[in-house]
Amino acid sequence: MPRELLLQVTPEIAANELLLKDYLSKQIKVSPKEIQHVSILKRSIDARQKAIKINLKVIIYLKGEAFQETKIELPIYKDVSSAQEVIVVGAGPAGLFAALQLIELGLKPIVIERGKDVRGRRRDLKAINREHIVNEDSNYCFGEGGAGTYSDGKLYTRSKKRGDVTRILELLVAFGASEDILVEAHPHIGTNKLPKIIEDIRNKIIEFGGQVLFDTRVTDILVKNNEVEGIVTQNGDKILANKLILATGHSARDIFELLDKKKIFIEAKPFALGVRAEHSQELIDSIQYSCDYRGEHLPPAPYSIVKQVNGRGMYSFCMCPGGVIAPCATSPGEVVTNGWSPSKRDQATANSGIVIELKLEDFKPFAKFGALAGMEFQKSIEQKAWHLAGETQKVPAQRMIDFTQNKVSADIPKTSYVPGTTSVEMGQVFPGFLSQILREGFKEFGKSMRGYLTNEAILHAPESRTSSPVRIPRDPLTLEHLQIKGLYPCGEGAGYAGGIISAAIDGEKCALMIAEALK
Ligand SMILES: Cc1cc2nc3c(=O)[nH]c(=O)nc-3n(C[C@H](O)[C@H](O)[C@H](O)COP(=O)(O)OP(=O)(O)OC[C@H]3O[C@@H](n4cnc5c(N)ncnc54)[C@H](O)[C@@H]3O)c2cc1C
């Protein structure tokens, strides 16, 4: 009978199949030759002690025990070319996984995406980085694959439903992601690997009779007697269907404005906002692994930190080990930061959003915008950053200790943010109370992570697209909009997801609810 074992080994043993077999053979008192195969079921790093250990859950097959390599397969999709049509607006994780699920359920998705296909997007990213030109339909947030495409592809989620999470991870593996994502405690895919996976998802949707339209921006939702009839695109074309999944992400301000103008019920939602901090990866490794050199068997160290400062949560968000800070504006006249890493996380710098939780009362100065108050608050900060940094895609920047001491930095070393930096007093970007919390918070962070509070760390502002500033409320059981029949607000933009995995799960759920409603 194959044996499951929980164990702690050195990083060297965990990284080497032969050493691991040898170690296990001693544990279970058999000769290494007797071990036919070892499968790793879970892997995590325990860096609490100076001697770092790797936690493994393994299953050991001895010779003669039935062992079969399992290949993760795609579900059986049906041809849906002449099935009932469902409009899916947005080809981010929510929209793409909704489309796949619709096909599995025998419905035909028509995916409508304002941006370009995943390859075409690259040219526009270059234009932001090199020429400071922001294309409002094709950028780090908009285009095939959504905001998650040029990301770190971190796949951990707070979702408690393991079954749902595993299903999404297995689908990603079936579409070409490494099987390691099923095993790692903190899986990630990497910016260089995501585009091919997304392209394969799109090809599968088309192969089974779905449609995917790029460069097609939805400018109106047709509603009659509080029921969806279809959408209108920027060219005035109409696409009709009475079921619509709206998965347009947290940055589709024109969609929030459209819903507000049409008096389709939406509400302001708190989100978090702050800066993106960049340290050398070597420094983060030395803090997290308590060593001068992390060696060849440990990955670039991540960090995660939460503090209560003046009654508010201040925490690290979307930390990218060995990564790069990206210009994530979706309109000209604003500056927005976020981060990504390649699959090997092999860049010299580590960056992380450091954000403060906002409350609805913070949006009071923008109360006249009603449900869009949070969005306008967010916009005002992004626009202020743009003005402060010289009205290009350069980002306001400050050394960390200088920021805590209210001192403009004499110089800013080159950071990973390609469009460049402008030295400013960062406090000017934010309302006073937020700057104050950030200043105090960095001092607290420095106490928890010795070495973190350093003038070699550079802050970039703002990190402002952490989640949607608007919720599009829906019935918790049917997932249909509270007021408009046939409208399924979905994913991060609707306020029901935060991250790639939870957005994908939400996409699947909306598709399932549509199939249920059509029964
Ligand atoms: C640089 C960066 C790094 C990130 N890193 C990670 C990470 O490592 N791990 C993680 O879990 N999350 C990460 N995120 C967040 C993650 O990408 C989002 O949580 C996730 O993509 C949300 O999925 P979604 O499908 O709900 O929305 P989105 O991915 O935002 O997709 C919405 C789509 O709708 C389209 N759209 C918008 N308006 C219209 C319209 N009017 N007509 C037609 N189409 C429209 C957009 O072009 C877009 O493609 C990162 C985000 C960024 C920007």
Side-chain angles (χ1 to χ4, degrees), residues 112-330:
I112 303 174
E113 169 55 54
R114 73 194 295 162
K116 297 184 185 155
D117 68 48
V118 78
R119 307 268 158 202
R121 268 178 96 171
R122 288 204 174 138
R123 230 167 301 126
D124 299 305
L125 303 189
K126 228 183 210 167
I128 304 179
N129 276 304
R130 311 270 172 212
E131 296 155 46
H132 303 254
I133 296 169
V134 181
N135 178 332
E136 290 184 84
D137 290 314
S138 176
N139 46 58
Y140 273 95
C141 293
F142 294 162
E144 188 179 20
T149 305
Y150 295 97
S151 79
D152 190 31
K154 282 181 283 293
L155 299 176
Y156 35 99
T157 166
R158 290 199 195 108
S159 173
K160 297 278 179 294
K161 293 200 175 159
R162 281 319 309 171
D164 292 347
V165 175
T166 306
R167 181 180 147 86
I168 301 295
L169 292 176
E170 287 185 347
L171 274 169
L172 286 166
V173 169
F175 277 108
S178 157
E179 290 200 5
D180 283 351
I181 66 172
L182 304 172
V183 166
E184 299 292 346
H186 290 129
H188 90 119
I189 292 184
T191 313
N192 48 329
K193 302 261 165 103
L194 276 161
K196 172 79 173 71
I197 294 170
I198 288 161
E199 209 168 68
D200 288 353
I201 293 178
R202 177 229 308 163
N203 289 335
K204 197 57 72 184
I205 292 170
I206 295 170
E207 180 188 338
F208 283 89
Q211 264 181 287
V212 182
L213 310 175
F214 293 116
D215 300 304
T216 308
R217 189 184 343 115
V218 168
T219 52
D220 198 6
I221 298 173
L222 300 171
V223 175
K224 195 170 169 193
N225 299 331
N226 276 346
E227 197 167 344
V228 162
E229 286 192 316
I231 56 96
V232 182
T233 74
Q234 82 270 30
N235 302 323
D237 297 335
K238 287 183 184 167
I239 299 174
L240 301 179
N242 63 3
K243 295 276 178 269
L244 184 150
I245 295 179
L246 188 65
T248 41
H250 58 27
S251 292
R253 289 180 175 156
D254 44 5
I255 288 291
F256 297 139
E257 281 161 1
L258 173 74
L259 298 176
D260 196 45
K261 198 173 93 197
K262 290 179 83 77
K263 305 213 178 322
I264 294 178
F265 184 37
I266 57 172
E267 58 196 14
K269 176 185 143 302
F271 58 102
L273 185 139
V275 297
R276 193 152 274 261
E278 182 167 277
H279 292 77
S280 78
Q281 183 61 51
E282 220 172 78
L283 175 69
I284 298 299
D285 288 344
S286 74
I287 299 172
Q288 296 298 84
Y289 294 146
S290 316
C291 63
D292 292 332
Y293 167 60
R294 74 166 187 267
E296 55 189 300
H297 302 301
L298 285 171
Y303 66 85
S304 164
I305 189 159
V306 188
K307 289 278 168 202
Q308 281 294 315
V309 186
N310 299 352
R312 304 258 185 160
M314 173 164 155
Y315 56 92
S316 54
F317 169 81
C318 185
M319 195 270 151
C320 300
V324 166
I325 301 183
C328 292
T330 46

